[in-house]
PDB file of all heavy atoms in Angstrom:
ATOM      1  N   SER A 203      -1.093  27.235  17.031  1.00 97.00           N
ATOM      2  CA  SER A 203      -0.517  28.502  17.472  1.00 97.00           C
ATOM      3  C   SER A 203      -1.652  29.315  18.082  1.00 97.00           C
ATOM      4  O   SER A 203      -2.627  29.623  17.399  1.00 97.00           O
ATOM      5  CB  SER A 203       0.107  29.258  16.295  1.00 97.00           C
ATOM      6  OG  SER A 203       1.213  28.552  15.781  1.00 97.00           O
ATOM      7  N   ALA A 204      -1.541  29.626  19.359  1.00 96.00           N
ATOM      8  CA  ALA A 204      -2.622  30.280  20.087  1.00 96.00           C
ATOM      9  C   ALA A 204      -2.121  31.546  20.770  1.00 96.00           C
ATOM     10  O   ALA A 204      -1.151  31.496  21.537  1.00 96.00           O
ATOM     11  CB  ALA A 204      -3.220  29.331  21.124  1.00 96.00           C
ATOM     12  N   GLN A 205      -2.788  32.660  20.504  1.00 95.00           N
ATOM     13  CA  GLN A 205      -2.447  33.922  21.165  1.00 95.00           C
ATOM     14  C   GLN A 205      -2.717  33.792  22.667  1.00 95.00           C
ATOM     15  O   GLN A 205      -3.709  33.179  23.075  1.00 95.00           O
ATOM     16  CB  GLN A 205      -3.275  35.059  20.574  1.00 95.00           C
ATOM     17  CG  GLN A 205      -2.885  36.441  21.074  1.00 95.00           C
ATOM     18  CD  GLN A 205      -3.851  37.528  20.614  1.00 95.00           C
ATOM     19  OE1 GLN A 205      -4.929  37.241  20.103  1.00 95.00           O
ATOM     20  NE2 GLN A 205      -3.463  38.776  20.808  1.00 95.00           N
ATOM     21  N   HIS A 206      -1.833  34.394  23.485  1.00 95.00           N
ATOM     22  CA  HIS A 206      -1.939  34.155  24.914  1.00 95.00           C
ATOM     23  C   HIS A 206      -1.474  35.366  25.723  1.00 95.00           C
ATOM     24  O   HIS A 206      -0.790  36.267  25.222  1.00 95.00           O
ATOM     25  CB  HIS A 206      -1.098  32.930  25.304  1.00 95.00           C
ATOM     26  CG  HIS A 206       0.356  33.069  24.950  1.00 95.00           C
ATOM     27  ND1 HIS A 206       1.282  33.692  25.763  1.00 95.00           N
ATOM     28  CD2 HIS A 206       1.048  32.675  23.845  1.00 95.00           C
ATOM     29  CE1 HIS A 206       2.472  33.672  25.205  1.00 95.00           C
ATOM     30  NE2 HIS A 206       2.363  33.063  24.026  1.00 95.00           N
ATOM     31  N   ASP A 207      -1.841  35.342  26.967  1.00 94.00           N
ATOM     32  CA  ASP A 207      -1.366  36.322  27.941  1.00 94.00           C
ATOM     33  C   ASP A 207       0.153  36.195  28.077  1.00 94.00           C
ATOM     34  O   ASP A 207       0.686  35.081  28.088  1.00 94.00           O
ATOM     35  CB  ASP A 207      -2.049  36.041  29.290  1.00 94.00           C
ATOM     36  CG  ASP A 207      -1.660  37.040  30.356  1.00 94.00           C
ATOM     37  OD1 ASP A 207      -0.532  36.939  30.877  1.00 94.00           O
ATOM     38  OD2 ASP A 207      -2.476  37.917  30.662  1.00 94.00           O
ATOM     39  N   PRO A 208       0.876  37.320  28.205  1.00 94.00           N
ATOM     40  CA  PRO A 208       2.351  37.238  28.253  1.00 94.00           C
ATOM     41  C   PRO A 208       2.906  36.554  29.487  1.00 94.00           C
ATOM     42  O   PRO A 208       4.076  36.161  29.498  1.00 94.00           O
ATOM     43  CB  PRO A 208       2.791  38.712  28.192  1.00 94.00           C
ATOM     44  CG  PRO A 208       1.616  39.499  28.648  1.00 94.00           C
ATOM     45  CD  PRO A 208       0.409  38.726  28.213  1.00 94.00           C
ATOM     46  N   THR A 209       2.093  36.386  30.541  1.00 94.00           N
ATOM     47  CA  THR A 209       2.618  35.841  31.793  1.00 94.00           C
ATOM     48  C   THR A 209       2.607  34.315  31.853  1.00 94.00           C
ATOM     49  O   THR A 209       3.228  33.725  32.725  1.00 94.00           O
ATOM     50  CB  THR A 209       1.815  36.382  32.982  1.00 94.00           C
ATOM     51  OG1 THR A 209       0.445  35.954  32.859  1.00 94.00           O
ATOM     52  CG2 THR A 209       1.862  37.900  33.021  1.00 94.00           C
ATOM     53  N   VAL A 210       1.894  33.647  30.945  1.00 95.00           N
ATOM     54  CA  VAL A 210       1.768  32.192  31.026  1.00 95.00           C
ATOM     55  C   VAL A 210       2.991  31.524  30.398  1.00 95.00           C
ATOM     56  O   VAL A 210       3.558  32.017  29.422  1.00 95.00           O
ATOM     57  CB  VAL A 210       0.460  31.723  30.348  1.00 95.00           C
ATOM     58  CG1 VAL A 210       0.501  31.990  28.847  1.00 95.00           C
ATOM     59  CG2 VAL A 210       0.190  30.259  30.620  1.00 95.00           C
ATOM     60  N   SER A 211       3.386  30.394  30.950  1.00 95.00           N
ATOM     61  CA  SER A 211       4.591  29.704  30.469  1.00 95.00           C
ATOM     62  C   SER A 211       4.270  28.838  29.256  1.00 95.00           C
ATOM     63  O   SER A 211       3.147  28.361  29.071  1.00 95.00           O
ATOM     64  CB  SER A 211       5.178  28.827  31.573  1.00 95.00           C
ATOM     65  OG  SER A 211       4.336  27.718  31.835  1.00 95.00           O
ATOM     66  N   ASN A 212       5.283  28.597  28.436  1.00 94.00           N
ATOM     67  CA  ASN A 212       5.124  27.724  27.277  1.00 94.00           C
ATOM     68  C   ASN A 212       4.757  26.304  27.692  1.00 94.00           C
ATOM     69  O   ASN A 212       3.993  25.620  27.005  1.00 94.00           O
ATOM     70  CB  ASN A 212       6.424  27.690  26.455  1.00 94.00           C
ATOM     71  CG  ASN A 212       6.725  29.022  25.806  1.00 94.00           C
ATOM     72  OD1 ASN A 212       5.824  29.805  25.544  1.00 94.00           O
ATOM     73  ND2 ASN A 212       8.009  29.283  25.547  1.00 94.00           N
ATOM     74  N   GLU A 213       5.310  25.865  28.821  1.00 95.00           N
ATOM     75  CA  GLU A 213       5.021  24.511  29.290  1.00 95.00           C
ATOM     76  C   GLU A 213       3.544  24.349  29.635  1.00 95.00           C
ATOM     77  O   GLU A 213       2.914  23.331  29.317  1.00 95.00           O
ATOM     78  CB  GLU A 213       5.874  24.183  30.517  1.00 95.00           C
ATOM     79  CG  GLU A 213       7.366  24.056  30.235  1.00 95.00           C
ATOM     80  CD  GLU A 213       8.044  25.405  30.020  1.00 95.00           C
ATOM     81  OE1 GLU A 213       7.461  26.448  30.401  1.00 95.00           O
ATOM     82  OE2 GLU A 213       9.160  25.419  29.457  1.00 95.00           O
ATOM     83  N   THR A 214       2.975  25.368  30.285  1.00 96.00           N
ATOM     84  CA  THR A 214       1.555  25.321  30.636  1.00 96.00           C
ATOM     85  C   THR A 214       0.679  25.300  29.392  1.00 96.00           C
ATOM     86  O   THR A 214      -0.275  24.520  29.291  1.00 96.00           O
ATOM     87  CB  THR A 214       1.181  26.531  31.513  1.00 96.00           C
ATOM     88  OG1 THR A 214       1.915  26.464  32.738  1.00 96.00           O
ATOM     89  CG2 THR A 214      -0.308  26.548  31.815  1.00 96.00           C
ATOM     90  N   ILE A 215       1.011  26.163  28.437  1.00 97.00           N
ATOM     91  CA  ILE A 215       0.236  26.216  27.192  1.00 97.00           C
ATOM     92  C   ILE A 215       0.301  24.868  26.477  1.00 97.00           C
ATOM     93  O   ILE A 215      -0.734  24.335  26.037  1.00 97.00           O
ATOM     94  CB  ILE A 215       0.771  27.335  26.271  1.00 97.00           C
ATOM     95  CG1 ILE A 215       0.590  28.698  26.919  1.00 97.00           C
ATOM     96  CG2 ILE A 215       0.064  27.300  24.920  1.00 97.00           C
ATOM     97  CD1 ILE A 215       1.263  29.837  26.177  1.00 97.00           C
ATOM     98  N   ARG A 216       1.480  24.299  26.377  1.00 97.00           N
ATOM     99  CA  ARG A 216       1.634  23.023  25.678  1.00 97.00           C
ATOM    100  C   ARG A 216       0.816  21.921  26.347  1.00 97.00           C
ATOM    101  O   ARG A 216       0.065  21.202  25.681  1.00 97.00           O
ATOM    102  CB  ARG A 216       3.111  22.623  25.630  1.00 97.00           C
ATOM    103  CG  ARG A 216       3.339  21.271  24.951  1.00 97.00           C
ATOM    104  CD  ARG A 216       4.818  20.902  24.878  1.00 97.00           C
ATOM    105  NE  ARG A 216       4.973  19.549  24.366  1.00 97.00           N
ATOM    106  CZ  ARG A 216       4.969  19.241  23.072  1.00 97.00           C
ATOM    107  NH1 ARG A 216       4.812  20.178  22.179  1.00 97.00           N
ATOM    108  NH2 ARG A 216       5.126  17.979  22.686  1.00 97.00           N
TER     109      ARG A 216
END
Side-chain angles (χ1 to χ4, degrees):
S203 294
Q205 187 188 12
H206 58 85
D207 182 284
T209 62
V210 66
S211 70
N212 293 334
E213 292 75 17
T214 297
I215 296 172
R216 178 179 174 83

